[in-house]
Amino acid sequence: LAKTTQPISMDSYEGQEVNITCSHNNIATNDYITWYQQFPSQGPRFIIQGYKTKVTNEVASLFIPADRKSSTLSLPRVSLSDTAVYYCLVGDNGQNFVFGPGTRLSVLP
Amino acid sequence: ETGVTQTPRHLVMGMTNKKSLKCEQHLGHNAMYWYKQSAKKPLELMFVYNFKEQTENNSVPSRFSPECPNSSHLFLHLHTLQPEDSALYLCASSQDGAEYGYTFGSGTRLTVV
C-alpha cells in the first residue's frame, strides 16, 4: 500500500484559498488519489478523486503533477464550516484504504 | 444522509454485555467495511467484505465478530469488550473496491463501562 504524508495541521482565514499537499512517493501505476473530509463524530466524506493532471468539482480541485508523487487539494474561499480533518489516500481497484492521521484544517474568522 | 445507515448512533454497554452494531447500505455497492476510530487516532480498518465474503481481518480480537448476511447489510457483534474498545465505529461501502471512493455512515459512538 502506498504510504502518504501530509501536514498534521493547517490554519487559514475565511475567504482564503487553502492548498493541502500530500506526498506519495511510492504510488503505483494503478493507484488513484482520493481525498476525504471528516467532521467530528461523523464518517469521512468523499471530496474528490484523480489519477493525473487536474480534476475539479463543485467542492474542490485536485492537482497532480506528471510524476504523480504528490498531489494538492485546493479548497477555494474556505468558510468556517470547512474546519475538518482532510485525508489523502492512494489505492487501486480492490485495495483497502489505509487512513493516516490526515490534516486538521482550522478556518478562523 | 449518505446512503449508508448505522444504528444505533450511540451505545453504552458494560463489559459483560453482548450487543450488535448494524449497518445498511442503499447504494447497490458490493463491498462493505468496518473501521474503528479511537480518540485522536486515525481510522483503523477492521473487516472487509466483498460480495458477502470476508476478505480482510486486520488482527481484530475475537470479541468483535462481523456478520454479512447479504451485500446490503453488515453487523458487528460485540461481547465482553474492554474500556479501551470505546470508540467511533464506522461502516463504509464501495463499488468494485476503493477506486471509486468509499461512502461512510455516520458511525456508532460506543462507550464501554
Side-chain angles (χ1 to χ4, degrees), chain A residues 32 34 36 38 40-46 49 87 89 91-101 104, chain B residues 9 33 35 37 41-43 45 48 55-56 88 90 95-102 104-107 109:
Chain A
Y32 282 73
T34 311
Y36 289 83
Q38 185 181 26
S41 297
Q42 293 187 29
R45 183 177 73 103
F46 175 91
Q49 184 180 75
Y87 298 97
L89 297 99
D92 68 358
N93 190 0
Q95 197 171 55
N96 306 314
F97 279 155
V98 176
F99 283 77
R104 186 172 299 276
Chain B
R9 289 296 310 274
Y33 311 79
Y35 279 86
Q37 188 172 35
K41 288 187 177 181
L43 283 80
L45 179 63
V48 181
T55 58
E56 188 91 15
L88 181 67
L90 290 159
Q95 180 62 30
D96 292 328
E99 176 184 349
Y100 303 107
Y102 288 3
F104 282 85
S106 298
R109 173 68 63 187

Side-chain angles (χ1 to χ4, degrees), chain A residues 2 24-33 50-52 64 66-69 90-93 95, chain B residues 99:
Chain A
H24 27 81
N25 290 316
N26 60 339
I27 188 169
T29 303
N30 295 332
D31 285 347
Y32 282 73
I33 300 156
Y51 184 79
K52 61 181 179 181
I64 305 168
D67 65 6
R68 304 200 327 122
K69 293 185 183 299
V90 297
D92 68 358
N93 190 0
Q95 197 171 55
Chain B
E99 176 184 349

Side-chain angles (χ1 to χ4, degrees), chain A residues 17-18 35-37 39 45-49 55-62 73-79 81-82 86:
Chain A
E17 178 184 78
V18 171
W35 284 80
Y36 289 83
Q37 173 193 57
F39 299 113
R45 183 177 73 103
F46 175 91
I47 301 176
I48 197 167
Q49 184 180 75
V55 180
T56 298
N57 62 24
E58 64 277 6
V59 177
S61 294
L62 178 60
L73 174 72
S74 181
L75 304 173
R77 298 180 299 280
V78 294
S79 64
S81 62
D82 292 315
Y86 292 82

Side-chain angles (χ1 to χ4, degrees), chain B residues 79-97:
Chain B
H79 64 96
T80 59
L81 295 192
Q82 304 298 313
E84 59 265 29
D85 296 321
S86 298
L88 181 67
Y89 288 85
L90 290 159
C91 173
S93 70
S94 69
Q95 180 62 30
D96 292 328

Side-chain angles (χ1 to χ4, degrees), chain B residues 47-102:
Chain B
F47 301 105
V48 181
Y49 279 83
N50 272 293
F51 294 104
K52 305 188 298 178
E53 299 299 320
Q54 188 180 121
T55 58
E56 188 91 15
N57 177 339
N58 274 358
S59 303
V60 179
S62 59
R63 57 186 183 268
F64 295 92
S65 175
E67 178 190 1
C68 188
N70 55 62
S71 56
S72 298
H73 293 84
L74 185 64
F75 295 89
L76 188 62
H77 303 301
L78 316 170
H79 64 96
T80 59
L81 295 192
Q82 304 298 313
E84 59 265 29
D85 296 321
S86 298
L88 181 67
Y89 288 85
L90 290 159
C91 173
S93 70
S94 69
Q95 180 62 30
D96 292 328
E99 176 184 349
Y100 303 107
Y102 288 3

